[in-house]
Amino acid sequence: MQRAGLILTTKKNPMRQNRHRTSKKQLQLKGVPAAPGIVIGRVHVFGTEELMPPKRNIAAEEIPAEIERFKKGLAETKKEIIEIEETISREMGVEHGRIFSAHLLVLEDVVLVEEVIARLKKKKRNVESIFAEVLNKYIDVLSDAKDEYLRERVSDITDVGKRILRNLMGGRRDSGLEDLSEKAIVVAYDLSPSDTAMMHKGRVLGFATDIGGRTSHTAIMAKSLEIPAVVGLENVTDVVENGDRVILDGMHGVVIVNPTKRFIEKYEKEKKRYESIEKELVELKLLPSETLDGEKVVLAGNIELPEDVASVLSHGAEGIGLYRTEYFFMNRRDLPSEEEQFNAYKSVATRIKPYYVIVRTLDLGGDKFLSQLDVPREMNPFMGWRAIRFCLARPDIFKTQLRAILRASAFGNLKLMYPMISGVEEFRQANAVVEEVKTDLKKQGIPFNENIPIGAMIEVPSAALTSDVLAKEAAFFSIGTNDLIQYSLAVDRVNEKIAYLYEPTHPAVLNLIKLIIDNGHRENISVGLCGEMAGDISLVMILLGLGLDEFSTSPIAVPEVKKIVRSVTRAQAKDIAEKVLGMQTGKQVQQFARAKLKELVPDVAGEWSEG
Ligand code: PEP
Ligand code: MG
């Protein structure tokens, strides 16, 4: 249910890591699911060889030749990176290729280059050992930087640094993953984008890394390559060694080291189930998303980046129920310009056409920080200066985004939605800013959809409880259960210690959802749900029964949700919802929902939903 932390921090210097070995007992590790699929195989530990070049003293006369060698090494590396950038842009799209521009910037870092030359002259040692020294100093300093942007640059610097060292030492040009001799699950402290991009697709069954979040470039690449992956496992490199058998479950972010026979059998079964669902997906994609009695239900996908549109379409979703635009603002030093945002929103709107995309305005805060904005850390970030509150206080940022969204609305079926609305006043204030932007655009003769539907995310209990009022002014509702649950149950959604209290089936949550849907329908507006709950297979029937019009979930969950929708009548679902509304605890609801799923859609329920 929880989304893992989004900030990449790395305390370990990947150039100097020490690995040690523990027992051969089964061990289960939990990380961040980066790309779906289940694989079982042997481990290939990658990238732990320490590139610590031997030290050699040199004579003063050798200095110019060493500097020359350094410059040649840099030039060679530059050529390689440009080649990779071109290949990746051609094969995977320019968005992926652009990652390597950051690598070129490292190469052109004058301070780094000058420091190497100055030390070389002073210490009179071979250039590779001097370069490694400077590089390690950079990595250590950046790993401890307060600025998240700087910390995130560690993997770029490491990647380029290793490449330069290899060239200086006359080493191989490849990353070592293109020519794995047999199929393996690659385990690494981190995989650089170039390692991932150059992977031998047929041999790399999956990969697992110590660091990384779901928005890390490595995770994004894994999804594009369709290689199952789990990142952010923290210590996987400490507990496995070459040849160990592991199970990697990219859907749930789980890696099981040295699994018992029972676990292997269980996962083999689950793998088959997943693969047969994948196969069925092809047929399901063409079938309408409607209940057994023919009532239409919209199944949409959630996206974070424009490139996720492909996955939405390939999983048979009919629209985008939540576009989390803040991801566009992450991993960069500056704020995206109006033009950049416009191009991104326009590209999503045109690719998803004729379906709609609900663009959510900047939802900064909580667990999503933007280093370039210098927003002070707060005691209660989830209840603080975030989302629409922040945007209303920073009209410069808000208006730039609104202009880009409105301009893009001329090119597709685009809807606008505000996050974290707490009451009708806030909704009106945000609308007033939209009106100002519309007036400006009109004056400038820039086209946009004047009737763009504007909806409210209902994720704060006060908005849920006053949704009767909001429904009179909003064009639609989308229930954000990830936050609604944390606020209504007072359970921090990212705190592991109280995760057991985070219950989507809690009667308080179900009653709030019912209230929102009923109030929306009274005013004839559509009510969707875009939190993780929409993709929880055991809860789909309850939500259907409560009258939900639209499910928006991560694209990979869409086929299963569709299968469940197509397996029940609205009346059956209504009956289930009525029964659970009469229950006293979340556990009771959960057990009942799982049993019903097993009874009505046994092949989807499988053993899995039992946890
Ligand atoms: C939610 O709160 O349910 C939601 C979908 O938004 P986010 O997870 O981005 O806070
Ligand atoms: Mg939210």
Side-chain angles (χ1 to χ4, degrees):
M1 267 319 125
Q2 294 179 42
R3 206 133 48 72
L6 297 161
I7 303 153
L8 292 185
T9 54
T10 158
K11 287 273 169 240
K12 266 201 260 183
N13 177 338
M15 303 288 285
R16 289 180 179 159
Q17 53 182 305
N18 290 317
R19 299 198 317 106
H20 53 80
R21 176 77 185 127
T22 53
S23 70
K24 285 270 177 193
K25 270 202 196 134
Q26 171 171 307
L27 186 69
Q28 186 158 334
L29 305 173
K30 181 87 181 79
V32 179
I38 291 172
V39 281
I40 302 173
R42 300 279 172 192
V43 164
H44 172 90
V45 183
F46 169 72
T48 48
E49 93 277 23
E50 294 195 9
L51 281 171
M52 292 306 285
K55 291 180 184 170
R56 179 172 56 85
N57 292 327
I58 56 169
E61 313 80 82
E62 285 179 83
I63 290 174
E66 280 301 278
I67 294 176
E68 202 40 47
R69 210 156 63 75
F70 180 46
K71 291 190 173 157
K72 227 175 110 201
L74 291 179
E76 220 174 301
T77 310
K78 186 170 176 177
K79 207 170 129 230
E80 272 176 38
I81 294 175
I82 291 172
E83 269 171 31
I84 297 179
E85 188 177 11
E86 282 168 3
T87 312
I88 302 297
S89 298
R90 200 172 48 243
E91 289 175 9
M92 294 175 69
V94 275
E95 279 137 353
H96 292 296
R98 215 175 284 141
I99 295 167
F100 296 92
S101 313
H103 292 194
L104 288 177
L105 287 182
V106 177
L107 275 176
E108 284 155 11
D109 183 338
V110 183
V111 181
L112 184 137
V113 173
E114 281 177 357
E115 184 169 350
V116 172
I117 295 175
R119 274 196 197 213
L120 187 139
K121 285 180 183 162
K122 194 166 155 217
K123 294 194 169 179
K124 297 200 188 70
R125 270 209 337 254
N126 59 325
V127 67
E128 43 275 72
S129 77
I130 297 284
F131 178 70
E133 214 172 86
V134 175
L135 194 67
N136 278 318
K137 188 188 96 178
Y138 264 62
I139 292 169
D140 283 343
V141 171
L142 289 180
S143 300
D144 285 332
K146 283 210 175 67
D147 183 333
E148 281 149 30
Y149 177 85
L150 291 179
R151 283 202 306 271
E152 284 164 10
R153 300 286 69 79
V154 169
S155 64
D156 288 336
I157 297 210
T158 309
D159 198 13
V160 185
K162 282 186 176 179
R163 203 171 273 284
I164 295 171
L165 276 176
R166 260 186 233 121
N167 282 328
L168 287 174
M169 292 160 77
R172 291 159 19 148
R173 291 166 58 113
D174 59 38
S175 72
L177 287 179
E178 309 84 322
D179 55 7
L180 275 179
S181 56
E182 45 194 62
K183 288 186 178 179
I185 294 175
V186 172
V187 171
Y189 173 74
D190 187 18
L191 283 170
S192 66
S194 58
D195 295 330
T196 321
M198 304 303 273
M199 270 181 186
H200 187 309
K201 233 192 120 178
R203 299 257 163 83
V204 177
L205 295 173
F207 64 80
T209 60
D210 285 346
I211 67 162
R214 73 166 300 275
T215 57
S216 59
H217 294 312
T218 309
I220 293 167
M221 289 271 197
K223 258 189 262 166
S224 301
L225 290 165
E226 295 182 23
I227 296 178
V230 181
V231 298
L233 285 151
E234 291 184 2
N235 64 344
V236 61
T237 54
D238 287 338
V239 296
V240 299
E241 56 188 30
N242 274 330
D244 277 351
R245 191 196 280 260
V246 299
I247 298 171
L248 182 146
D249 174 356
M251 260 111 45
H252 300 90
V254 170
V255 171
I256 301 169
V257 187
N258 298 317
T260 59
K261 212 167 139 229
R262 194 173 72 80
F263 262 80
I264 294 179
E265 280 166 12
K266 178 181 164 186
Y267 273 90
E268 259 160 6
K269 239 180 170 177
E270 182 57 22
K271 180 170 154 67
K272 277 209 192 97
R273 192 181 79 81
Y274 175 74
E275 284 165 1
S276 78
I277 288 177
E278 282 283 290
K279 239 192 242 151
E280 215 183 300
L281 181 105
V282 184
E283 289 166 37
L284 264 179
K285 215 173 117 172
L286 305 169
L287 296 174
S289 152
E290 57 187 28
T291 56
L292 267 183
D293 50 338
E295 232 184 271
K296 178 97 186 115
V297 178
V298 179
L299 293 191
N302 292 349
I303 66 164
E304 276 81 46
L305 295 167
E307 52 262 39
D308 297 341
V309 176
S311 177
V312 169
L313 293 170
S314 70
H315 286 91
E318 297 178 304
I320 295 166
L322 172 65
Y323 177 6
R324 292 183 163 101
T325 55
E326 55 279 4
Y327 284 73
F328 199 59
F329 290 64
M330 289 178 170
N331 273 325
R332 55 188 296 158
R333 232 192 203 310
D334 52 349
L335 288 167
S337 66
E338 178 186 322
E339 210 53 31
E340 261 182 280
Q341 292 189 61
F342 163 67
N343 285 329
Y345 307 150
K346 179 181 158 191
S347 119
V348 172
T350 37
R351 272 147 71 203
I352 202 71
K353 222 154 85 175
Y355 303 124
Y356 61 78
V357 47
I358 299 180
V359 183
R360 178 176 75 180
T361 55
L362 185 61
D363 186 14
L364 159 86
D367 58 349
K368 291 174 282 196
F369 303 106
L370 307 182
S371 50
Q372 69 271 41
L373 284 177
D374 247 348
V375 174
R377 292 290 160 103
E378 301 172 329
M379 290 286 282
N380 279 314
F382 274 109
M383 295 205 266
W385 195 43
R386 59 168 294 210
I388 195 66
R389 304 167 181 185
F390 172 85
C391 284
L392 289 172
R394 287 292 303 264
D396 51 332
I397 295 173
F398 193 32
K399 279 186 171 173
T400 305
Q401 182 175 41
L402 289 174
R403 274 182 72 93
I405 295 173
L406 284 169
R407 284 174 59 197
S409 71
F411 296 88
N413 192 352
L414 204 144
K415 304 184 191 190
L416 176 65
M417 176 165 78
Y418 311 127
M420 245 202 120
I421 287 292
S422 60
V424 76
E425 264 185 320
E426 224 167 17
F427 189 71
R428 287 179 189 153
Q429 279 166 18
N431 279 346
V433 184
V434 172
E435 284 311 312
E436 280 176 41
V437 175
K438 280 184 174 176
T439 310
D440 289 346
L441 288 174
K442 259 190 237 162
K443 266 193 216 143
Q444 292 162 346
I446 299 173
F448 65 94
N449 174 11
E450 293 202 29
N451 299 314
I452 184 170
I454 304 182
M457 235 180 131
I458 308 292
E459 50 185 345
V460 179
S462 58
L465 293 166
T466 53
S467 50
D468 53 339
V469 183
L470 275 160
K472 291 189 174 38
E473 305 193 19
F476 61 91
F477 282 161
S478 186
I479 310 175
T481 44
N482 299 344
D483 279 317
L484 186 64
I485 296 168
Q486 80 161 343
Y487 294 133
S488 54
L489 303 182
V491 179
D492 181 344
R493 69 194 255 191
V494 296
N495 187 335
E496 295 295 331
K497 287 199 189 73
I498 45 167
Y500 69 99
L501 288 172
Y502 191 95
E503 277 187 313
T505 49
H506 193 291
V509 175
L510 295 179
N511 277 297
L512 282 176
I513 294 176
K514 178 175 163 33
L515 180 72
I516 301 165
I517 296 175
D518 290 350
N519 281 334
H521 287 176
R522 212 164 286 130
E523 296 299 331
N524 288 320
I525 63 169
S526 147
V527 183
L529 193 150
C530 60
E532 296 301 298
M533 192 175 172
D536 186 330
I537 53 171
S538 61
L539 306 181
V540 172
M541 290 193 271
I542 298 177
L543 295 171
L544 258 182
L546 291 173
L548 195 72
D549 304 300
E550 178 220 64
F551 290 70
S552 192
T553 136
S554 74
I556 52 164
V558 168
E560 280 189 321
V561 175
K562 193 190 254 189
K563 196 166 162 59
I564 299 165
V565 168
R566 292 181 54 82
S567 308
V568 284
T569 61
R570 203 47 114 155
Q572 265 173 325
K574 232 178 173 165
D575 186 50
I576 293 170
E578 260 160 37
K579 285 210 173 73
V580 302
L581 284 174
M583 292 180 180
Q584 293 179 342
T585 71
K587 299 268 172 321
Q588 272 175 303
V589 175
Q590 202 179 57
Q591 272 166 10
F592 178 77
R594 284 178 177 176
K596 272 286 164 199
L597 185 68
K598 213 160 195 174
E599 178 194 322
L600 296 170
V601 207
D603 45 339
V604 163
E607 228 183 295
W608 203 246
S609 57
E610 304 301 329

